[in-house]
Amino acid sequence: MSNKLVPLTVIKGAGHEFIPLPAGQNATTADFHSIRTQTTDSPSYFTSGFYKIEAGPHRPAHYAFEETKYVLSGQIDVLDEATGITHHLVPGDFAFFHVGSKVQFSTKSQGFAFYAVTRPVRSPHPKLVGREEDKARLRGGKYQEELFSDRV
């Protein structure tokens, strides 16, 4: 690990932004941050975002990457095709999807979750593009925020 200090990335209010569903769809992902990891043992992408689902047809997913999902509101039902078990995930529940997991997502009402995946961005969050907080830079041994005149 390098001794160089690296500032963290903050996206204020990310979880409060409205996520529109695509026309004719009852579920969508909204990626809002992705990096190519700097790990030396197995470099990959690390992307995070929100998953939103409303009542409608089941949404199949066959995983070619790892994903963690943490339910924030509502209920998300997940049929694990490997076991035939349907898990009813509610706020506070966590699920991990392995490479090779095959599931079907559904809900009788709505569900909202945070996720982190090992893949690049596929569907950028329409309300969060360019919303990363100003990045701190190391100058003369001290962090200084870059301020933009259009910020209030």
Side-chain angles (χ1 to χ4, degrees):
M1 180 162 98
S2 169
N3 289 332
K4 177 184 172 196
L5 296 176
V6 178
L8 64 121
T9 298
V10 175
I11 304 173
K12 304 278 285 174
H16 299 289
E17 290 291 345
F18 174 73
I19 300 172
L21 290 174
Q25 300 293 317
N26 70 315
T28 191
T29 58
D31 298 337
F32 64 85
H33 183 260
S34 182
I35 62 166
R36 180 89 173 153
T37 65
Q38 300 300 306
T39 55
T40 56
D41 54 343
S42 60
S44 181
Y45 285 93
F46 185 68
T47 301
S48 52
F50 295 110
Y51 180 73
K52 179 180 178 179
I53 187 167
E54 294 180 351
H58 287 203
R59 308 297 300 183
H62 194 169
Y63 284 85
F65 50 85
E66 292 89 5
E67 177 176 6
T68 61
K69 201 172 243 111
Y70 182 79
V71 178
L72 299 169
S73 67
Q75 180 173 312
I76 300 174
D77 301 323
V78 184
L79 169 61
D80 181 348
E81 293 189 13
T83 64
I85 296 171
T86 298
H87 301 275
H88 305 286
L89 306 179
V90 296
D93 288 349
F94 169 88
F96 182 84
F97 303 88
H98 300 269
V99 170
S101 292
K102 191 172 183 183
V103 302
Q104 293 184 37
F105 292 101
S106 64
T107 187
K108 291 181 179 167
S109 55
Q110 62 81 32
F112 190 66
F114 169 81
Y115 64 82
V117 296
T118 56
R119 63 157 173 76
V121 168
R122 289 195 310 206
S123 52
H125 189 306
K127 302 282 187 173
L128 294 178
V129 174
R131 283 270 302 275
E132 291 182 2
E133 287 289 295
D134 304 331
K135 298 202 176 168
R137 294 206 177 165
L138 188 57
R139 293 188 187 136
K142 296 181 182 178
Y143 281 108
Q144 296 178 357
E145 292 288 327
E146 289 183 334
L147 300 175
F148 295 94
S149 60
D150 62 341
R151 291 279 173 118
V152 177

